[in-house]
Amino acid sequence: MARTEPLLMVLKLTQEAEEQASLQLRSAQLELQKRQNQLEALQNYRLDYMKQMEQQQGQSISASHYHQFHQFVRQVDAAIIQQVNAVQDADNQRQHRQVHWQEKQQKRKAVELLLANKAEKAQLAELRAEQKMVDEFASQQFYRKKLR
């Protein structure tokens, strides 16, 4: 039993590392979702603004108002580009953390497999020892009967 104690400690550590990696992955997924929602909000805002300008199309618009419109649309487009980059960064981070979590999960499973193999070997050794005792007992009884 003393031999499995270090492995049990290793298992506990790998489980904790996997749990930490899982929390980091979840955090990255939430951050990605938040950034995607912000991007969608910016895109919807631009679309709504463009629809408002389209509705004013038949009306006379001053040159300064038209210039302000285009300036604002360029600013919104720049914000959209920045947000697309932020979404890509968040997705890269999520992918990195997913790989990290999978590595931790794989290590935990490997330690669990080692423990299972060790337990199976111990059980086999116990069964062999028990069978050896039964065989010895049977052979001793056989010799005793022969001696009588």
Side-chain angles (χ1 to χ4, degrees), residues 54 59 123 148:
E54 191 177 297
Q59 303 168 3
Q123 186 178 12
R148 287 185 191 170

Side-chain angles (χ1 to χ4, degrees), residues 3-143:
R3 286 183 152 179
T4 60
E5 284 181 27
L7 269 182
L8 288 175
M9 180 58 97
V10 170
L11 177 62
K12 181 182 177 193
L13 292 173
T14 58
Q15 287 171 333
E16 289 171 0
E18 180 186 3
E19 180 65 27
Q20 186 65 30
S22 174
L23 291 173
Q24 290 174 348
L25 173 59
R26 182 69 184 138
S27 173
Q29 289 170 331
L30 291 172
E31 183 64 24
L32 174 60
Q33 186 62 46
K34 180 179 120 184
R35 290 183 184 190
Q36 286 173 332
N37 291 342
Q38 290 170 340
L39 175 60
E40 188 177 332
L42 279 170
Q43 290 170 332
N44 288 337
Y45 182 70
R46 184 185 191 280
L47 185 62
D48 289 344
Y49 192 74
M50 295 298 283
K51 285 179 184 177
Q52 287 176 6
M53 286 307 293
E54 191 177 297
Q55 290 173 355
Q56 295 178 2
Q57 192 171 14
Q59 303 168 3
S60 64
I61 299 174
S62 69
S64 66
H65 184 66
Y66 187 73
H67 177 71
Q68 287 174 350
F69 165 74
H70 281 288
Q71 184 71 18
F72 184 73
V73 169
R74 279 193 292 265
Q75 288 175 344
V76 172
D77 286 343
I80 288 173
I81 289 170
Q82 284 180 332
Q83 195 61 33
V84 165
N85 291 335
V87 167
Q88 186 60 46
D89 290 345
D91 191 43
N92 290 341
Q93 186 67 20
R94 182 202 52 82
Q95 289 174 7
H96 172 73
R97 288 187 176 178
Q98 184 163 2
V99 167
H100 180 70
W101 171 70
Q102 288 171 334
E103 288 170 355
K104 297 299 179 185
Q105 188 180 46
Q106 196 172 26
K107 285 180 182 180
R108 177 195 45 84
K109 288 180 179 179
V111 172
E112 285 176 345
L113 183 62
L114 279 174
L115 280 168
N117 286 344
K118 195 164 235 182
E120 187 178 329
K121 285 180 183 178
Q123 186 178 12
L124 260 169
E126 189 178 317
L127 286 172
R128 285 183 184 141
E130 190 177 305
Q131 185 62 44
K132 186 177 178 182
M133 285 175 39
V134 168
D135 290 347
E136 277 185 35
F137 182 73
S139 68
Q140 285 177 2
Q141 279 190 336
F142 177 75
Y143 287 124

